[in-house]
Amino acid sequence: MDQDRFDVFVGLDVGKEHHHATALNSAGRRLHDKALPQDEAALREVFDKLTVHGSVLVIVDQPATIGALPVTVARAMGIEVAYLPGLAMRRIADLHPGNAKTDARDAFIIAEAGRTMPHALRRVGGDDDLIADLAVIVGFDDDLASEVNRVSNRIRGMLTQIHPALERAIGANIGHPAVLALLAKFVGPTGLAAAGRRRLTTTTKPLAPRMHTRLVDAIIKALTEQTVVVPGTRAAELVLPQLAAQLQGLLAQRAAAAKQVEEALDAHPLSQLLMSMPGVGIRTAARLLLDVGDATAFPTAGHLAAYAGLAPVTRRSGSSIRGEHPSRAGNKHLKRALFLSAFAALHDPDSRAYYDRKRAAGKKHNAAIICLARRRVDVLHAMLRNGTYYQHQLIRVYLLVGEHEKALDRLEELVKVPYVLTPGYLRID
């Protein structure tokens, strides 16, 4: 962001009821330094007063939740808004004298960062309504995912306590509708043993047509491996059906949230482009839109990789410390999404070939996946920069040599999603 375009830099340390606003001119002189109520009229009054001094840039330390109102008011007044990430804020604060933690000091540091270090700022995008809706739904889905993990682990822990063999038989599929239906209906080991094969099969067959026989066999075999009743079994069988019903409800909510995310994605122009990449589904595309956007905030793919924590960190000091190490920093949500996306892309021939080369070079599974994720960041950045859909390597070779029929045959073989078969997919910049 070019600070030469602005005459006033307003740092907002946002709060639930009050913000603190510090405004500096381009020479660093304070134009405003007061608490500011979380109120539209008060925000408009201050912003309007500062526009007298020239063009204004409002910088916030949190663009969503408690910072959403000042961001919206500023944009409604035609004032540009930027965001200073928390990690950058903490590191910049160390450059200033003193170690006090006050709203006034934080607001000044935010404004001063905008005035002197514009490279630390991130742009607040223009499609805020859609992104804000997506952020709310994805945040809710993330909370649901955490609850699903918590309840699943609670069920597995309880089964391990009272009947380890049964947990080994169904633990890996604890979230499957058939398993949850069994626990909700027959409560636990005692009820499952009393139900018998016929009732177990009747319950599981509609929900697991292909695996019900294998599932029932595993449960019956596990029940025969333990004849003693562990203390706490009776109480556990009172709790297990409630936990199963809770997990069923959470999974249903996640399914509904996925549909809502898909509907929100359909309205975004970049969603189809992102999902043309192997391994990028609805939730990954939503995370990429939230954290990466159109990639204009990242000059190169290396900047994006560093932001995601996928770029190795070089550590050198004299002759005693040398080498590169995995990064512990970066956006954890984005890093996880890119890692899982790379893992899901192993069915793609190009991605699998690269993974196999890394494994052959001696890298372990996780390290090879991280290498693949880093390579995919280069492709992702190029796709967003050029506005082109994902292209398989062999397809690109066919196109470069003019063999378009072979390219189309390869498309039909590899790609099953209709929207990818567009002229944009075949364009080479």
Side-chain angles (χ1 to χ4, degrees):
M1 185 168 289
D2 184 9
Q3 77 269 37
D4 294 336
R5 295 191 294 113
F6 304 103
D7 303 301
V8 181
F9 302 86
V10 184
L12 276 184
D13 182 58
V14 299
K16 181 179 179 181
E17 297 181 359
H18 292 84
H19 315 300
H20 195 97
T22 299
L24 306 175
N25 65 10
S26 56
R29 185 171 66 88
R30 297 190 191 223
L31 304 176
H32 184 89
D33 191 6
K34 292 181 181 178
L36 181 58
Q38 176 81 298
D39 176 76
E40 181 181 350
L43 289 164
R44 284 184 178 273
E45 181 182 354
V46 170
F47 293 158
D48 189 57
K49 182 175 68 174
L50 291 172
T51 55
V52 176
H53 300 277
S55 58
V56 177
L57 174 65
V58 173
I59 309 142
V60 297
D61 60 343
Q62 191 169 332
T65 60
I66 58 177
L69 180 60
V71 169
T72 305
V73 171
R75 294 188 65 85
M77 296 177 66
I79 297 173
E80 194 161 341
V81 184
Y83 161 54
L84 181 64
L87 179 60
M89 164 71 182
R90 290 194 296 272
R91 289 178 174 172
I92 293 172
D94 293 337
L95 302 176
H96 293 264
N99 54 12
K101 176 67 176 71
T102 64
D103 294 344
R105 182 174 185 267
D106 289 347
F108 170 78
I109 291 170
I110 294 170
E112 183 69 5
R115 187 180 74 89
T116 60
M117 290 182 280
H119 60 275
L121 304 181
R122 296 196 65 194
R123 173 180 165 271
V124 177
D127 51 355
D128 288 332
D129 289 341
L130 178 58
I131 293 299
D133 291 344
L134 197 58
V136 171
I137 302 172
V138 170
F140 178 57
D141 185 59
D142 288 341
D143 292 340
L144 289 175
S146 298
E147 282 296 298
V148 167
N149 287 335
R150 183 186 65 82
V151 177
S152 299
N153 291 336
R154 182 71 177 131
I155 294 174
R156 297 188 68 172
M158 196 170 293
L159 287 173
T160 301
Q161 176 184 341
I162 65 173
H163 205 299
L166 181 59
E167 193 282 328
R168 289 193 296 271
I170 65 175
N173 298 308
I174 200 65
H176 195 284
V179 175
L180 293 177
L182 289 174
L183 291 177
K185 186 174 183 179
F186 301 114
V187 306
T190 304
L192 290 170
R197 178 182 292 274
R198 183 181 62 82
R199 294 181 65 193
L200 295 180
T201 302
T202 302
T203 302
T204 56
K205 187 174 182 179
L207 299 172
R210 290 184 296 179
M211 64 173 285
H212 69 279
T213 302
R214 185 170 68 254
L215 177 63
V216 171
D217 289 343
I219 291 173
I220 293 176
K221 181 176 183 298
L223 293 173
T224 60
E225 293 178 4
Q226 180 175 318
T227 58
V228 298
V229 178
V230 176
T233 299
R234 184 174 59 182
E237 291 184 336
L238 295 175
V239 176
L240 280 171
Q242 300 179 56
L243 291 174
Q246 184 179 356
L247 186 53
Q248 286 174 325
L250 290 170
L251 293 172
Q253 290 182 70
R254 285 211 75 192
K259 291 183 180 179
Q260 293 170 350
V261 170
E262 186 174 10
E263 291 173 358
L265 282 176
D266 287 342
H268 199 286
L270 291 177
S271 62
Q272 302 296 319
L273 182 147
L274 291 172
M275 287 192 289
S276 71
M277 191 176 195
V280 176
I282 294 173
R283 288 189 171 95
T284 303
R287 175 56 59 189
L288 291 173
L289 285 176
L290 289 176
D291 294 335
V292 180
D294 59 2
T296 54
F298 306 97
T300 67
H303 287 82
L304 177 55
Y307 174 69
L310 291 174
V313 177
T314 301
R315 293 175 182 168
R316 293 186 180 181
S317 179
S319 59
S320 59
I321 301 176
R322 289 179 178 273
E324 294 184 341
H325 305 270
S327 174
R328 300 289 183 181
N331 186 316
K332 299 297 189 294
H333 292 293
L334 180 59
K335 183 176 184 178
R336 180 176 183 272
L338 291 171
F339 181 90
L340 294 178
S341 174
F343 181 75
L346 290 180
H347 71 278
D348 172 62
D350 296 337
S351 300
R352 187 75 197 195
Y354 184 85
Y355 169 84
D356 290 340
R357 287 201 301 271
K358 292 298 178 181
R359 291 284 289 173
K363 291 189 178 295
K364 294 186 181 298
H365 170 73
N366 279 4
I369 292 293
I370 290 175
C371 290
L372 176 59
R374 172 63 184 88
R375 180 177 182 268
R376 284 163 57 85
V377 166
D378 293 339
V379 179
L380 177 65
H381 188 270
M383 289 167 57
L384 292 170
R385 181 191 63 211
N386 300 330
T388 54
Y389 285 83
Y390 180 84
Q391 299 173 4
H392 290 270
Q393 289 182 0
L394 188 53
I395 293 172
R396 288 198 296 271
V397 171
Y398 285 148
L399 291 172
L400 286 171
V401 299
E403 298 187 18
H404 297 85
E405 291 186 2
K406 288 186 177 180
L408 289 173
D409 290 342
R410 184 64 171 163
L411 275 174
E412 293 176 357
E413 177 185 349
L414 293 175
V415 182
K416 307 300 180 184
V417 186
Y419 64 74
V420 186
L421 299 175
T422 64
Y425 188 91
L426 299 175
R427 189 173 74 241
I428 293 183
D429 296 328

